[in-house]
Amino acid sequence: MMHSESATLEPTLVPANTSDPKPVKKADRQFDFKLYTQRHIALKVAYLGWDYHGLAIQETADDTIESKLFEALKRAKLIESHLECKFARCGRTDKGVSALSQVVSLYVRSNLLEGVGVVSNADCRASERKGDKTTEILYMHILNKLLPEDIRVLAWAPVTADFSARFSCLQRTYKYIFPRGNLDISRMQCAAQKFVGEHDLGTSVSPSSPYQMHEVTITGLAFLWHQVRCMVGVLFLIGSGLEDVMLVDQMLDIEKCPRKPQYGMASEAHEYLVSHFQALWTAQMVRATMLRRMLDSLEYSFLTGMGTPTLPSSQLAPLVTDQKSKSKSYKPMMSRQTSGSSTSLDELIDYHQSKRRRLEEED
């Protein structure tokens, strides 16, 4: 240690045209992927997309869902490059769009020598690796420790080589959440039935309130780019009375409407609201409603697995109490130990007043 300090102070070791030398960063140990097999897996991913520029990785933006996912995969040494892991996604989502059950498939590093989806490259030396070769890597646990809090891996499964998150998908469901405002929901419901597929405009408790939240649910095999937002944009025009309910029939008739007319899509932020505070309220309520839908789905899965009709109180407690509290049992307030002093409030006041008088007399 002393030798290191003297060497740092030695003038001959510091070039004249440089500032003080910076500590040398220790080189990362090279990870040998050839000591592992690869496994084709599917990941079920949930994310809150309002702070991201969409799902798909982009050359011009780092804040996408896939860029964060690939970053975590690389940090965990599960993949070498996102270009070589044969990545596939179920469907793209735009800027600001969230997902509860997005599915992606890719090849990742595996501990196993054989099993569903496990493959060995020609130069693989997994059999030479020391350590456990029968317990698989905890993919979900590792990735969730590295991912941002608003991106979570919900589950994973091994898949065969012919599985593709994109082409093996049998059904895709999109939801669009919005406040009623001045929209005529009955007209929108009538128009929605004219679309091919399954549709539902959910309603809540207060049908007369303009702040009532609704959602459009659209299910299909595949969707074009911006198709859902375009469909909802048409419903908004009908619900606002600017277009007739028959507009959907006319637009679906390719002889009458061979090309898409120019019209605005439904915004991910509902910017059609005039009032600034209504827009702020809408954005927060859409997010809150979206989170509630996610919670409902996750709680249902949890209850199904537990075989219980209601959520245990232990799961609800963090909603209304201090989550940092680690106490296993609650002790009633009046049975707790009191502070060390038995002095009354009046006695404390008298003490501090007398102390102040003494200090004033000394001055």
Side-chain angles (χ1 to χ4, degrees), residues 278-329:
Q278 282 182 325
L280 290 177
W281 176 88
T282 298
Q284 297 303 323
M285 280 302 298
V286 166
R287 296 180 180 188
T289 304
M290 198 176 300
L291 284 169
R292 178 58 189 270
R293 297 291 184 271
M294 290 184 172
L295 278 172
D296 289 343
S297 177
L298 292 173
E299 288 177 2
Y300 175 79
S301 300
F302 177 80
L303 297 176
T304 302
M306 293 290 292
T308 175
T310 58
L311 199 65
S313 58
S314 60
Q315 295 293 320
L316 291 173
L319 297 177
V320 294
T321 62
D322 183 5
Q323 298 188 38
K324 298 180 180 179
S325 176
K326 303 297 183 181
S327 177
K328 295 182 179 180
S329 60

Side-chain angles (χ1 to χ4, degrees), residues 16-29:
N17 60 346
T18 61
S19 57
D20 293 338
K22 297 180 180 180
V24 179
K25 183 179 179 181
K26 186 178 180 180
D28 294 334
R29 186 176 63 176

Side-chain angles (χ1 to χ4, degrees), residues 30-307:
Q30 190 69 24
F31 189 86
D32 191 354
F33 280 90
K34 295 179 181 179
L35 292 176
Y36 294 85
T37 57
Q38 290 188 323
R39 192 171 198 180
H40 200 206
I41 67 170
L43 297 176
K44 182 180 179 181
V45 185
Y47 51 84
L48 305 175
W50 41 73
D51 291 329
Y52 295 93
H53 280 78
L55 168 68
I57 191 170
Q58 303 175 27
E59 293 183 0
T60 58
D62 294 330
D63 51 347
T64 67
I65 304 298
E66 286 183 0
S67 65
K68 300 300 181 184
L69 179 59
F70 288 137
E71 181 181 336
L73 288 164
K74 292 175 183 177
R75 287 185 60 190
K77 306 299 182 185
L78 294 179
I79 64 171
E80 287 189 82
S81 168
H82 70 275
L83 300 175
E84 301 176 358
C85 64
K86 298 183 179 180
F87 181 85
R89 67 182 77 87
C90 176
R92 295 173 66 115
T93 54
D94 297 335
K95 175 183 176 182
V97 178
S98 300
L100 174 61
S101 300
Q102 176 70 260
V103 177
V104 300
S105 58
L106 71 163
Y107 280 89
V108 295
R109 175 171 63 91
S110 173
N111 274 342
L112 307 185
L113 298 181
E114 58 182 3
V116 178
V118 177
V119 296
S120 300
N121 296 327
D123 54 355
C124 179
R125 307 193 314 274
S127 58
E128 303 174 10
R129 189 185 78 248
K130 298 180 181 179
D132 185 16
K133 301 182 182 66
T134 59
T135 304
E136 189 53 286
I137 298 171
L138 301 176
Y139 298 118
M140 187 174 72
H141 175 74
I142 292 174
L143 288 174
N144 283 338
K145 291 181 67 175
L146 299 174
L147 285 167
E149 292 185 352
D150 46 8
I151 305 175
R152 295 287 93 176
V153 176
L154 302 182
W156 77 274
V159 293
T160 56
D162 59 348
F163 177 87
S164 168
R166 178 183 178 186
F167 296 109
S168 301
C169 179
L170 302 178
Q171 179 176 284
R172 294 173 173 87
T173 298
Y174 289 85
K175 291 180 180 288
Y176 192 96
I177 301 170
F178 63 97
R180 186 179 72 83
N182 62 350
L183 298 173
D184 188 330
I185 299 300
S186 60
R187 284 170 56 87
M188 295 176 65
Q189 286 175 323
C190 182
Q193 302 305 318
K194 299 178 179 296
F195 287 117
V196 177
E198 299 179 5
H199 317 281
D200 173 54
L201 282 108
T203 57
S204 55
V205 182
S206 310
S208 60
S209 171
Y211 295 102
Q212 172 192 355
M213 301 303 294
H214 296 261
E215 66 181 41
V216 180
T217 303
I218 304 175
T219 300
L221 177 60
F223 293 87
L224 299 175
W225 186 45
H226 287 162
Q227 181 177 344
V228 172
R229 288 170 59 187
C230 287
M231 294 170 68
V232 176
V234 170
L235 293 180
F236 282 166
L237 292 174
I238 295 172
S240 61
L242 297 175
E243 295 287 348
D244 189 83
V245 174
M246 298 302 295
L247 173 64
V248 177
D249 291 321
Q250 296 168 359
M251 294 183 68
L252 291 177
D253 189 336
I254 58 175
E255 293 184 358
K256 294 182 178 179
C257 186
R259 295 181 179 85
K260 170 183 170 291
Q262 295 183 1
Y263 63 92
M265 298 182 298
S267 169
E268 77 278 0
H270 303 289
E271 295 171 356
Y272 63 91
L273 292 175
V274 177
S275 168
H276 172 70
F277 286 104
Q278 282 182 325
L280 290 177
W281 176 88
T282 298
Q284 297 303 323
M285 280 302 298
V286 166
R287 296 180 180 188
T289 304
M290 198 176 300
L291 284 169
R292 178 58 189 270
R293 297 291 184 271
M294 290 184 172
L295 278 172
D296 289 343
S297 177
L298 292 173
E299 288 177 2
Y300 175 79
S301 300
F302 177 80
L303 297 176
T304 302
M306 293 290 292

